[in-house]
Amino acid sequence: MARFSDDAIARAHMVGLGVWASPPSAPDAAVRRLVAMQAQEHRYARWSVGQRSSTRASDVDAAFDAGAILRTHVLRPTWHFAANDDLRWLLALTGPILERRNARRDQELELDGRTRRRAIDVIADAVRAGPLTRRELVDALEQRGIGTDGQRIAHLLFHAELHAAVCSGPMRGKAHTYAAFDARVPPGLAHEGEGARAELARRYFATRGPATLRDFAWWSGLPMGDARAGLAAAQCDLSSFERDDATYWFADVAKRVKGPRVDLVQCYDETIISYTQSRDVLQTDDVEFPVPRSIDGFVHVLLCDGRLLGHWRVVGAGAGAAVETRLAREIDDRERTALDAAVGRYEQFART
């Protein structure tokens, strides 16, 4: 069973998720390989893309502004990055699920079906001439008598995203914009229904295995029955093993990477957020999960050979960005060298 120890699974995750041994590639290729990457913290989500594509922050920003990488609500009800040619079928699969799950909150905000449809039409019409900021869309909705106070604007934009009216546009200075969906997303639907569930499952386990059905259901946001059906359709391309009364599925077993290897991953990185049942392989005797709810900013995660070593934060921004670390144990000289290299990789990315 040593092959499937916590260490072995953690290392396989790092290789499969592209943090290790990832050849240089375009930022959108790194995102496409992982299907979707959680991205509500845009500043740090850029780093998740950069460390998988060996690119500079400016390269990730250029891909985002050009629409090769899009940021919208898909899978679970939070923002994700997706490649533009994956977004249409992903939204068709998960959009209706997210709408159903949001029904109670819509009711609390007095957003009935008619109001949502009117708002989506107003938003779609407003961005037809070009990308707009959230503030500009608030003005457009208010001019048409649609209230946007409190959380209503966030939920109206959420529904506009789910109905493929808008997705992310290019940055305007430090402000995000919303752009017309059809102007940024190529036409066509590559996968539908059962085929979409199977495609999602196949690509999940190929990049995040070994992982369990519960892991996949959590990450995808699919109801358990749909997740199970997707795995059943994809499992002919997968292998499996039993561990702790659970079945772990994977496409390949990663070769051992010479260590020690230290990595700085942001707190919503796919190495963490892709799992629920299998997330415990990150833990060690020295560091427990989850990320600490810290008021001093040490919320990001240091991994040594794929397992928790401590936490990190950034002070400053742009050319002045610097990393500070908080370790949970003593490290030896080789680990110190690996840590210094990891810090250097992030700081170089943030400054370029």
Side-chain angles (χ1 to χ4, degrees):
M1 292 297 292
R3 179 185 178 190
F4 303 122
S5 65
D6 285 351
D7 279 339
I9 293 174
R11 287 171 177 271
H13 289 172
M14 298 300 284
V15 175
L17 283 160
V19 183
W20 293 357
S22 181
S25 63
D28 58 303
V31 174
R32 184 178 296 105
R33 183 175 175 276
L34 296 185
V35 191
M37 298 172 65
Q38 191 163 326
Q40 73 265 46
E41 295 288 343
H42 181 73
R43 174 185 180 184
Y44 294 106
R46 295 157 67 244
W47 165 237
S48 288
V49 176
Q51 68 188 141
R52 290 168 167 85
S53 55
S54 303
T55 53
R56 303 168 298 177
S58 57
D59 296 324
V60 178
D61 291 342
F64 181 79
D65 286 345
I69 298 171
L70 297 171
R71 180 175 180 257
T72 192
H73 284 85
V74 69
L75 302 186
R76 303 176 306 282
T78 189
W79 273 299
H80 283 78
F81 283 149
N84 59 6
D85 51 1
D86 273 326
L87 187 53
R88 198 175 290 273
W89 70 267
L90 284 172
L91 269 180
L93 176 64
T94 66
I97 298 169
L98 296 182
E99 280 221 300
R100 289 195 296 271
R101 290 177 177 170
N102 204 55
R104 181 175 179 179
R105 186 57 180 149
D106 286 337
Q107 189 175 37
E108 293 170 348
L109 294 170
E110 299 181 350
L111 294 176
D112 57 53
R114 181 175 179 274
T115 300
R116 297 196 304 271
R117 287 191 296 272
R118 283 188 61 224
I120 292 168
D121 288 343
V122 170
I123 292 168
D125 184 62
V127 299
R128 193 165 289 121
L132 296 175
T133 65
R134 175 170 164 152
R135 179 69 256 175
E136 290 166 335
L137 289 172
V138 165
D139 292 343
L141 289 164
E142 293 284 353
Q143 289 169 11
R144 298 291 294 273
I146 300 173
T148 60
D149 56 301
Q151 293 185 1
R152 284 170 63 95
I153 181 57
H155 284 261
L156 290 172
L157 290 169
F158 173 76
H159 285 291
E161 290 176 323
L162 297 185
H163 281 263
V166 294
C167 60
S168 62
M171 298 294 292
R172 191 188 299 172
K174 294 183 178 181
H176 285 271
T177 67
Y178 290 83
F181 186 92
D182 287 340
R184 307 278 276 180
V185 181
L189 190 63
H191 311 285
E192 297 181 356
E194 182 179 339
R197 290 192 294 270
E199 176 71 3
L200 194 61
R202 182 186 65 78
R203 289 169 68 179
Y204 171 83
F205 288 104
T207 55
R208 292 163 171 86
T212 68
L213 173 62
R214 278 178 55 194
D215 292 328
F216 173 56
W218 149 254
W219 173 83
S220 67
L222 296 177
M224 183 58 75
D226 288 354
R228 184 177 289 109
L231 173 57
Q235 68 184 48
C236 59
D237 297 322
L238 304 173
S239 301
S240 66
F241 61 85
E242 300 296 320
R243 181 178 186 269
D244 297 334
D245 300 319
T247 304
Y248 284 70
W249 298 90
F250 61 97
D252 195 9
V253 175
K255 296 180 180 179
R256 187 174 182 85
V257 175
K258 186 177 180 180
R261 163 78 185 230
V262 175
D263 294 281
L264 278 64
V265 300
Q266 55 114 351
C267 60
Y268 296 113
D269 189 82
E270 292 295 309
T271 56
I272 299 167
I273 212 68
S274 291
Y275 310 98
T276 178
Q277 189 172 18
S278 302
R279 195 179 292 171
D280 59 356
V281 302
L282 291 167
Q283 296 178 187
T284 69
D285 292 338
D286 302 297
V287 191
E288 294 183 354
F289 199 81
V291 175
R293 290 175 173 82
S294 172
I295 62 172
D296 58 6
F298 283 96
V299 296
H300 303 298
V301 175
L302 281 172
L303 298 177
C304 182
D305 293 333
R307 306 189 71 190
L308 286 162
L309 172 65
H311 298 89
W312 60 282
R313 68 178 182 182
V314 175
V315 293
V323 171
E324 295 180 349
T325 62
R326 177 181 289 167
L327 305 182
R329 63 171 173 82
E330 296 293 326
I331 58 176
D332 61 29
D333 290 345
R334 293 174 65 238
E335 290 171 327
R336 171 59 64 183
T337 298
L339 173 60
D340 290 344
V343 170
R345 288 194 295 272
Y346 177 83
E347 292 180 346
Q348 181 179 14
F349 172 83
R351 294 169 182 170
T352 58

